[in-house]
Short mmCIF file of all heavy atoms in Angstrom, two decimals:
data_model
loop_
_atom_site.label_atom_id
_atom_site.label_comp_id
_atom_site.label_asym_id
_atom_site.label_seq_id
_atom_site.Cartn_x
_atom_site.Cartn_y
_atom_site.Cartn_z
N GLN N 70 115.74 97.03 89.62
CA GLN N 70 114.96 95.88 89.96
C GLN N 70 114.59 94.99 88.68
O GLN N 70 114.11 93.86 88.88
CB GLN N 70 113.79 96.19 90.81
CG GLN N 70 112.65 96.96 90.05
CD GLN N 70 112.74 98.40 90.10
OE1 GLN N 70 113.86 98.91 89.91
NE2 GLN N 70 111.64 99.20 90.14
N HIS N 71 114.85 95.43 87.49
CA HIS N 71 114.59 94.68 86.31
C HIS N 71 115.80 94.21 85.74
O HIS N 71 115.75 93.93 84.38
CB HIS N 71 113.56 95.47 85.34
CG HIS N 71 112.39 95.84 86.09
ND1 HIS N 71 111.79 97.05 86.01
CD2 HIS N 71 111.51 95.15 86.87
CE1 HIS N 71 110.67 97.05 86.77
NE2 HIS N 71 110.52 95.88 87.31
N GLN N 72 116.93 94.18 86.36
CA GLN N 72 118.16 93.76 85.80
C GLN N 72 118.72 92.52 86.74
O GLN N 72 118.22 92.53 87.82
CB GLN N 72 119.31 94.83 85.78
CG GLN N 72 118.86 95.93 84.95
CD GLN N 72 120.09 97.03 84.81
OE1 GLN N 72 121.09 96.64 84.48
NE2 GLN N 72 119.66 98.24 85.12
N ASP N 73 119.62 91.85 86.14
CA ASP N 73 120.28 90.79 87.01
C ASP N 73 120.95 91.50 88.15
O ASP N 73 121.68 92.51 88.01
CB ASP N 73 121.15 90.01 86.04
CG ASP N 73 121.69 88.75 86.74
OD1 ASP N 73 121.00 87.75 86.80
OD2 ASP N 73 122.84 88.91 87.29
N PHE N 74 121.01 90.79 89.32
CA PHE N 74 121.80 91.25 90.50
C PHE N 74 123.28 91.69 90.20
O PHE N 74 123.83 92.55 90.71
CB PHE N 74 121.70 90.33 91.57
CG PHE N 74 122.24 90.84 92.98
CD1 PHE N 74 121.69 91.93 93.66
CD2 PHE N 74 123.43 90.33 93.40
CE1 PHE N 74 122.24 92.30 94.90
CE2 PHE N 74 123.90 90.63 94.61
CZ PHE N 74 123.50 91.71 95.30
N TYR N 75 123.73 90.80 89.29
CA TYR N 75 125.20 90.83 89.05
C TYR N 75 125.48 91.66 87.68
O TYR N 75 126.65 91.70 87.26
CB TYR N 75 125.91 89.53 88.94
CG TYR N 75 125.93 88.72 90.31
CD1 TYR N 75 124.99 87.94 90.65
CD2 TYR N 75 126.82 89.24 91.27
CE1 TYR N 75 125.08 87.34 91.94
CE2 TYR N 75 126.83 88.67 92.60
CZ TYR N 75 125.86 87.73 92.86
OH TYR N 75 125.89 87.19 94.13
N SER N 76 124.51 92.35 87.14
CA SER N 76 124.72 93.09 85.95
C SER N 76 125.76 94.15 86.25
O SER N 76 125.95 94.74 87.36
CB SER N 76 123.47 93.93 85.57
OG SER N 76 122.44 93.08 85.19
N LEU N 77 126.52 94.54 85.16
CA LEU N 77 127.43 95.73 85.26
C LEU N 77 126.72 97.06 85.15
O LEU N 77 125.57 96.98 84.61
CB LEU N 77 128.50 95.51 84.19
CG LEU N 77 129.40 94.24 84.25
CD1 LEU N 77 130.41 94.26 83.09
CD2 LEU N 77 130.01 94.15 85.54
N VAL N 78 127.31 98.03 85.52
CA VAL N 78 126.66 99.28 85.44
C VAL N 78 126.79 99.78 83.99
O VAL N 78 127.79 99.72 83.43
CB VAL N 78 127.45 100.45 86.31
CG1 VAL N 78 126.85 101.77 86.17
CG2 VAL N 78 127.28 99.99 87.79
N THR N 79 125.63 100.25 83.37
CA THR N 79 125.69 100.82 82.10
C THR N 79 125.27 102.38 82.12
O THR N 79 124.29 102.72 82.80
CB THR N 79 124.79 100.10 81.16
OG1 THR N 79 123.59 99.88 81.77
CG2 THR N 79 125.28 98.76 80.58
N ILE N 80 126.03 103.05 81.35
CA ILE N 80 125.71 104.48 81.39
C ILE N 80 125.46 104.76 79.89
O ILE N 80 126.52 104.61 79.10
CB ILE N 80 126.86 105.42 81.95
CG1 ILE N 80 126.95 104.97 83.49
CG2 ILE N 80 126.55 106.78 81.81
CD1 ILE N 80 128.07 105.58 84.16
N PRO N 81 124.34 105.07 79.38
CA PRO N 81 124.07 105.35 77.97
C PRO N 81 124.73 106.63 77.41
O PRO N 81 125.09 107.38 78.26
CB PRO N 81 122.59 105.43 77.88
CG PRO N 81 122.14 105.75 79.27
CD PRO N 81 123.19 105.22 80.22
N ASP N 82 124.94 106.62 76.18
CA ASP N 82 125.39 107.93 75.52
C ASP N 82 124.31 108.95 75.72
O ASP N 82 123.13 108.52 75.94
CB ASP N 82 125.45 107.61 73.97
CG ASP N 82 126.11 108.82 73.30
OD1 ASP N 82 126.98 109.42 73.83
OD2 ASP N 82 125.72 109.09 72.21
N ASN N 83 124.69 110.19 75.97
CA ASN N 83 123.78 111.18 76.30
C ASN N 83 122.95 110.77 77.64
O ASN N 83 121.77 110.84 77.63
CB ASN N 83 122.88 111.51 75.07
CG ASN N 83 121.85 112.55 75.37
OD1 ASN N 83 122.27 113.63 76.05
ND2 ASN N 83 120.76 112.69 74.65
N SER N 84 123.71 110.39 78.55
CA SER N 84 123.08 109.93 79.79
C SER N 84 122.32 110.98 80.58
O SER N 84 122.84 112.08 80.86
CB SER N 84 124.21 109.27 80.67
OG SER N 84 123.79 109.29 82.04
N LEU N 85 121.07 110.69 80.86
CA LEU N 85 120.18 111.63 81.66
C LEU N 85 120.92 111.70 83.07
O LEU N 85 120.91 112.83 83.54
CB LEU N 85 118.77 111.01 81.67
CG LEU N 85 117.78 111.68 82.72
CD1 LEU N 85 117.54 113.18 82.30
CD2 LEU N 85 116.55 110.79 82.64
N LEU N 86 121.28 110.62 83.57
CA LEU N 86 121.71 110.65 84.97
C LEU N 86 123.01 111.55 85.10
O LEU N 86 123.05 112.43 85.95
CB LEU N 86 122.08 109.20 85.50
CG LEU N 86 122.52 109.09 86.76
CD1 LEU N 86 121.57 109.68 87.89
CD2 LEU N 86 122.82 107.66 87.17
N SER N 87 123.93 111.33 84.20
CA SER N 87 125.20 112.18 84.25
C SER N 87 124.77 113.61 84.03
O SER N 87 125.35 114.54 84.68
CB SER N 87 126.34 111.80 83.38
OG SER N 87 125.94 111.60 82.04
N GLY N 88 123.79 114.00 83.16
CA GLY N 88 123.44 115.35 82.85
C GLY N 88 122.81 115.90 84.12
O GLY N 88 123.07 117.08 84.42
N MET N 89 122.03 115.11 84.86
CA MET N 89 121.39 115.66 86.06
C MET N 89 122.47 115.96 87.10
O MET N 89 122.36 116.86 87.85
CB MET N 89 120.25 114.69 86.64
CG MET N 89 119.06 114.56 85.76
SD MET N 89 117.58 114.03 86.68
CE MET N 89 118.12 112.30 86.99
N ILE N 90 123.49 115.08 87.15
CA ILE N 90 124.51 115.20 88.16
C ILE N 90 125.29 116.57 87.87
O ILE N 90 125.55 117.35 88.71
CB ILE N 90 125.38 114.08 88.23
CG1 ILE N 90 124.65 112.85 88.90
CG2 ILE N 90 126.66 114.27 89.15
CD1 ILE N 90 125.29 111.50 88.80
N GLU N 91 125.58 116.72 86.60
CA GLU N 91 126.41 117.89 86.21
C GLU N 91 125.62 119.09 86.58
O GLU N 91 126.13 120.03 87.09
CB GLU N 91 126.45 117.87 84.70
CG GLU N 91 127.86 117.64 84.13
CD GLU N 91 127.89 117.50 82.67
OE1 GLU N 91 127.90 118.49 81.98
OE2 GLU N 91 127.90 116.33 82.13
N LYS N 92 124.38 119.14 86.24
CA LYS N 92 123.46 120.28 86.50
C LYS N 92 123.47 120.52 88.05
O LYS N 92 123.55 121.65 88.45
CB LYS N 92 121.94 119.92 85.94
CG LYS N 92 121.02 121.18 86.20
CD LYS N 92 121.74 122.23 85.51
CE LYS N 92 120.73 123.16 84.62
NZ LYS N 92 121.36 124.30 83.93
N ALA N 93 123.30 119.51 88.78
CA ALA N 93 123.15 119.59 90.36
C ALA N 93 124.48 120.24 90.83
O ALA N 93 124.28 121.03 91.73
CB ALA N 93 122.91 118.23 91.00
N ILE N 94 125.52 119.77 90.29
CA ILE N 94 126.87 120.18 90.72
C ILE N 94 126.97 121.72 90.29
O ILE N 94 127.55 122.59 91.23
CB ILE N 94 128.05 119.46 90.27
CG1 ILE N 94 127.98 118.06 90.89
CG2 ILE N 94 129.37 120.15 90.56
CD1 ILE N 94 128.98 117.02 90.31
N ALA N 95 126.56 122.07 89.14
CA ALA N 95 126.72 123.45 88.75
C ALA N 95 125.91 124.42 89.55
O ALA N 95 126.21 125.37 90.06
CB ALA N 95 126.30 123.58 87.22
N ILE N 96 124.57 124.05 89.90
CA ILE N 96 123.73 124.95 90.66
C ILE N 96 123.99 124.71 92.19
O ILE N 96 123.65 125.57 93.02
CB ILE N 96 122.21 124.73 90.41
CG1 ILE N 96 121.73 123.25 90.63
CG2 ILE N 96 121.84 125.20 89.07
CD1 ILE N 96 120.30 123.08 90.33
N GLY N 97 124.63 123.49 92.53
CA GLY N 97 124.96 123.21 93.89
C GLY N 97 126.02 123.96 94.49
O GLY N 97 126.52 123.85 95.60
N LYS N 98 126.90 124.67 93.58
CA LYS N 98 128.12 125.42 94.00
C LYS N 98 127.86 126.29 95.22
O LYS N 98 128.74 126.38 96.16
CB LYS N 98 128.70 126.20 92.96
CG LYS N 98 129.34 125.34 91.83
CD LYS N 98 130.57 125.88 91.12
CE LYS N 98 131.27 124.94 90.33
NZ LYS N 98 130.90 124.76 89.00
N ASN N 99 126.66 126.89 95.31
CA ASN N 99 126.42 127.80 96.25
C ASN N 99 125.50 127.21 97.34
O ASN N 99 124.93 127.86 98.27
CB ASN N 99 125.83 129.13 95.87
CG ASN N 99 126.83 129.78 94.78
OD1 ASN N 99 128.05 129.87 95.17
ND2 ASN N 99 126.21 130.19 93.63
#
Side-chain angles (χ1 to χ4, degrees):
Q70 71 268 39
H71 300 131
Q72 299 185 55
D73 186 82
F74 183 71
Y75 293 100
S76 295
L77 300 181
V78 172
T79 47
I80 299 174
D82 185 34
N83 186 29
S84 155
L85 168 63
L86 181 58
S87 54
M89 290 202 296
I90 294 171
E91 249 177 80
K92 184 55 137 188
I94 293 173
I96 57 178
K98 285 213 170 85
N99 303 314

